[in-house]
């Protein structure tokens, strides 16, 4: 287990409380079931708030920011594996084991560094290898701040509302002919 600084542990607790304060409404299709919950990196906080306490298995970057987020996710009831789909293919395989057991998994489709809204191979491989769907989490925000970062990271304000639509992603990647 990774040794975390007091600053990271305390910050993660505060962030978890903040995410618990959000009023999230999730709208799913009729056939929604276990699969890969794909999100754009900018929507990390809204997506994390939406699936808290559901024992979703997530892949979190091994970066310093990732240590903070991994701890926050654990406090919100997520199972966490550290790594990336490009530098740690074995880490993505841990998620596959959870999917074979019937669990949801989650990962940023555009990874920890982008480019923004460009689907990387790991989530597609995970969906195909497990035979489970790849779902896209699409939040609509109430009060929020958009940061000027590579991904236009969105910070929903505490106590704000978020509506989330879940869509089958493969239709968007490869539209039917």
């Amino acid at each position: 287990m990774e040794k975390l600084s007091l600053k990271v542990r305390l910050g993660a607790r505060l962030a978890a409380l903040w995410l618990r304060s959000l009023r999230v409404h999730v709208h799913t299709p009729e056939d929604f079931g276990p699969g890969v919950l794909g999100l754009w990196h900018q929507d990390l906080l809204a997506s994390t708030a939406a699936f808290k306490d559901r024992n979703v298995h997530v892949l979190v970057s091994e970066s310093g920011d990732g240590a903070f987020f991994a701890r926050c996710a654990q406090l919100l009831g997520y199972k966490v594996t550290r790594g990336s789909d490009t530098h740690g293919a074995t880490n993505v395989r841990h998620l596959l084991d959870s999917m074979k057991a019937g669990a949801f998994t989650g990962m940023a489709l555009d990874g920890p560094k982008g480019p923004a809204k460009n689907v990387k191979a790991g989530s597609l491989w995970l969906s195909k290898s497990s035979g489970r769907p790849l779902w896209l989490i699409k939040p609509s925000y109430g009060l929020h701040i958009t940061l000027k970062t590579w991904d236009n990271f969105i910070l929903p304000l505490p106590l704000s509302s978020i509506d989330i639509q879940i869509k089958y992603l493969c239709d968007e990647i490869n539209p039917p002919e």
Side-chain angles (χ1 to χ4, degrees):
M1 179 138 200
E2 184 177 8
K3 179 118 170 111
L4 301 174
S5 71
L6 178 61
K7 184 174 157 181
V8 168
R9 291 193 322 262
L10 188 58
R13 282 212 180 274
L14 289 172
L17 286 172
W18 168 26
L19 292 177
R20 285 192 184 281
S21 83
L22 300 174
R23 295 183 303 255
V24 181
H25 307 281
V26 179
H27 309 278
T28 61
E30 281 186 29
D31 61 346
F32 183 66
V36 181
L37 298 169
L39 57 122
W40 299 122
H41 196 270
Q42 72 178 21
D43 298 319
L44 188 65
L45 297 180
S47 300
T48 302
F51 292 94
K52 65 185 178 294
D53 299 321
R54 295 187 186 174
N55 197 30
V56 174
H57 191 168
V58 295
L59 184 65
V60 177
S61 164
E62 292 178 318
S63 68
D65 289 345
F68 170 82
F69 182 72
R71 182 64 188 135
C72 182
Q74 289 169 333
L75 291 169
L76 292 169
Y78 286 84
K79 180 178 179 182
V80 175
T81 293
R82 301 291 304 278
S84 75
D85 66 344
T86 53
H87 294 105
T90 43
N91 297 325
V92 176
R93 292 181 197 284
H94 290 297
L95 274 71
L96 181 59
D97 293 339
S98 289
M99 291 188 74
K100 286 181 179 177
F104 280 96
T105 61
M107 59 194 309
L109 298 169
D110 47 3
K113 295 181 182 177
K117 297 191 176 179
N118 184 359
V119 178
K120 292 188 176 177
S123 55
L124 297 171
W125 176 87
L126 189 56
S127 176
K128 184 177 179 182
S129 297
S130 67
R132 302 281 183 159
L134 175 55
W135 302 105
L136 176 62
I137 300 171
K138 294 184 72 154
S140 295
Y141 295 90
L143 296 174
H144 67 280
I145 297 169
T146 302
L147 302 180
K148 293 183 183 198
T149 56
W150 68 267
D151 59 351
N152 294 315
F153 197 81
I154 298 173
L155 295 172
L157 297 180
L159 302 171
S160 63
S161 292
I162 301 171
D163 279 321
I164 293 186
Q165 296 291 327
I166 305 292
K167 291 181 63 177
Y168 182 65
L169 182 62
C170 291
D171 289 339
E172 290 191 8
I173 295 172
N174 301 309
E177 296 184 34

